Amino acid sequence: MYKVLLVSVGHFFDSTAEIPSIFKRAGCIVDIFCSEKSWLKSNKFYDNWIEASEEEESFKYELADYVKKNPDKYNWILLLDEFTLKLMNNFIGDDQFLFEKLLPITKIENREVLSSKIGMSKACSRYNITTPRFINYSEDLSLDFIAQNLDFPILLKEDFSFSGLGVQYCANINEFKSCLEKVLNRTNLVLQEFIEGEDIGVEALFYEGQLVSYNCATIISYMGGKFSFTTRRAYYQDANLAKELKKLGESFGISGFGSIQYIYHKERNLYYLIETDLRSNSWMPYSKFTGKDIADGVKQIVNGKIIGDFSETTPLNKKIEIAIFDRDIRRCMKNKDLKGFILWGINYKGCWKFIPFYDTILFNRIFTKLYKDFFKIKY
């Protein structure tokens, strides 16, 4: 039977909690490599737990040692979060065996895209993938140079950041100076032109450079501002966007998950690639509600028969609204959104199906966290 090993170093990434269920739906044997407190362990869908250290320095040696001692035990090993990817990418160095076993790309020359906004932008230029104009900031750059090479507004992005953290919007050169003063570590900053358009979130599965499965969504609600993480989305299929994803997978040599963001500029009819994070996210398990379950993509990989037909485009009135329960409840708490609470309370559009009643382990951990968050709120 097809065996996978799912790996996460941090105990704070709740996005990993339901990923084992995807592989279980695909009929895989699922082992997890994480610490006792990890969210990856907070579910009932894994078969075996390999205990690992919480401490990053120990973790990387433990993982490398385990993989080298069990070279043929797993058909696929996936690193599920940003910190694990960055940790192992830096640690592996030139070790070809560990590169092939652990990293979600097949082209070693593209490893700079892993957990690096600068790396992603450079790779887009290399493969002629449409992305906003950018420059890498250094203390040597003058404000005049920045103004001459980028059109404001721009985004100031810290190279390693996630969920909208480390991203600042700068409307003009004076706001840029003000935003820059807030950055403690100015190494590897990206200055990227801000594109006005529709935000599109994408969850995709690739295998050896080939697009296997995807879902895309427009954003209904954010936790905070535009650059924070999302709590409600409307899902659909888009044949034109699928072409962009196929090119991305082939160019980078992606083999694993992709949590991807585009901006669609309607007047130019262009999809601008904004983020390419080659790891799982919290939305992926919800693909079972869209009719395009990522688990079906995993089944294709397991069976060695990737279909590769992405000709479907969903009519505008057929988009499927999905909410992540605990995220949206926190949004309601933060914004004192009484209407949002009521909609959850009355099971609006059948939203209770998004509450993990099907997994008592995950359910208990989510409600424990919500309970603690609720009583920390100051009114």
Side-chain angles (χ1 to χ4, degrees):
M1 187 175 284
Y2 203 90
K3 295 189 69 172
V4 298
L5 179 67
L6 306 179
V7 182
S8 178
V9 66
H11 64 271
F12 40 83
F13 284 104
D14 59 357
S15 61
T16 63
E18 292 195 75
I19 300 302
S21 68
I22 294 174
F23 291 91
K24 268 300 166 186
R25 292 201 299 276
C28 300
I29 294 175
V30 181
D31 289 0
I32 59 173
F33 189 99
C34 61
S35 70
E36 170 72 39
K37 297 178 181 179
S38 174
W39 278 87
L40 181 55
K41 194 171 180 285
S42 295
N43 65 84
K44 65 178 185 180
F45 291 102
Y46 62 88
D47 294 287
N48 300 292
W49 168 47
I50 296 93
E51 184 173 6
S53 173
E54 286 184 42
E55 198 273 316
E56 291 185 2
E57 192 67 20
S58 298
F59 183 96
K60 63 187 182 184
Y61 286 102
E62 292 169 359
L63 178 59
D65 185 59
Y66 180 77
V67 172
K68 287 186 173 182
K69 286 180 178 178
N70 300 276
D72 302 315
K73 187 172 183 178
Y74 299 101
N75 299 92
W76 206 359
I77 301 174
L78 293 102
L79 311 184
L80 297 185
D81 62 74
E82 291 279 356
F83 279 86
T84 308
L85 274 170
K86 186 177 179 67
L87 177 70
M88 298 312 296
N89 188 30
N90 292 339
F91 176 68
I92 285 170
D94 297 326
D95 191 320
Q96 187 69 28
F97 172 80
L98 287 178
F99 170 82
E100 293 175 357
K101 286 289 185 180
L102 295 177
L103 296 188
I105 53 174
T106 60
K107 298 179 180 180
I108 197 166
E109 64 270 22
N110 292 333
R111 67 190 304 174
E112 65 180 345
V113 306
L114 300 174
S115 303
S116 170
K117 290 178 172 55
I118 291 176
M120 193 271 292
S121 296
K122 288 181 178 178
C124 286
S125 297
R126 190 158 61 243
Y127 294 107
N128 196 29
I129 293 171
T130 303
T131 191
R133 285 196 297 170
F134 74 97
I135 57 176
N136 300 340
Y137 175 79
S138 73
E139 300 284 358
D140 298 329
L141 294 182
S142 69
L143 295 178
D144 285 341
F145 177 87
I146 294 170
Q148 289 169 7
N149 285 272
L150 293 177
D151 293 328
F152 281 81
I154 65 169
L155 299 179
L156 189 161
K157 296 183 174 183
E158 297 177 37
D159 193 36
F160 179 64
S161 57
F162 54 94
S163 296
L165 300 175
V167 179
Q168 298 186 69
Y169 174 88
C170 312
N172 51 53
I173 198 70
N174 290 326
E175 280 194 17
F176 167 71
K177 289 190 291 184
S178 177
C179 289
L180 187 62
E181 290 174 359
K182 301 174 186 176
V183 178
L184 298 178
N185 183 0
R186 299 184 183 181
T187 304
N188 294 335
L189 295 180
V190 180
L191 309 183
Q192 184 183 77
E193 286 189 349
F194 177 74
I195 303 295
E196 287 283 358
E198 183 176 48
D199 286 350
I200 301 174
V202 177
E203 291 82 57
L205 178 68
F206 301 86
Y207 191 71
E208 296 183 349
Q210 186 173 354
L211 178 64
V212 180
S213 177
Y214 83 98
N215 282 282
C216 57
T218 53
I219 311 305
I220 297 175
S221 62
Y222 297 88
M223 174 61 76
K226 185 178 176 67
F227 306 116
S228 62
F229 56 84
T230 57
T231 72
R232 284 182 177 268
R233 294 182 173 188
Y235 277 90
Y236 61 100
Q237 296 282 295
D238 185 328
N240 290 323
L241 184 56
K243 292 177 184 177
E244 301 290 333
L245 292 169
K246 289 177 70 174
K247 180 181 179 180
L248 181 67
E250 292 166 2
S251 299
F252 288 7
I254 305 173
S255 194
F257 290 126
S259 177
I260 302 166
Q261 183 185 357
Y262 285 91
I263 297 289
Y264 177 61
H265 195 291
K266 187 175 181 179
E267 288 74 21
R268 300 172 191 168
N269 192 28
L270 287 176
Y271 292 93
Y272 287 86
L273 182 65
I274 304 298
E275 298 283 355
T276 305
D277 296 322
L278 302 186
R279 42 83 174 170
S280 62
N281 70 19
S282 296
W283 294 97
M284 289 175 178
Y286 291 80
S287 63
K288 63 186 177 183
F289 299 111
T290 68
K292 298 292 180 180
D293 193 343
I294 288 179
D296 293 333
V298 176
K299 287 179 185 177
Q300 294 177 36
I301 295 169
V302 170
N303 295 329
K305 297 179 180 179
I306 297 175
I307 298 171
D309 179 11
F310 303 103
S311 58
E312 181 180 343
T313 295
T314 305
L316 289 176
N317 62 343
K318 297 295 184 181
K319 290 184 178 182
I320 298 172
E321 184 174 331
I322 292 176
I324 295 180
F325 169 68
D326 54 316
R327 280 190 181 185
D328 204 53
I329 290 295
R330 289 192 190 96
R331 180 193 60 79
C332 293
M333 291 178 183
K334 179 180 178 181
N335 299 324
K336 299 182 175 63
D337 180 5
L338 180 59
K339 180 181 177 181
F341 278 121
I342 292 173
L343 293 179
W344 278 106
I346 63 174
N347 191 25
Y348 179 69
K349 292 186 178 180
C351 62
W352 287 0
K353 63 178 174 286
F354 305 133
I355 304 174
F357 294 120
Y358 46 83
D359 188 338
T360 55
I361 298 172
L362 178 60
F363 180 88
N364 289 337
R365 182 157 186 179
I366 284 176
F367 271 83
T368 298
K369 190 174 191 306
L370 283 174
Y371 177 83
K372 291 179 178 179
D373 288 348
F374 180 81
F375 284 103
K376 288 179 181 177
I377 293 176
K378 295 180 181 180
Y379 291 95

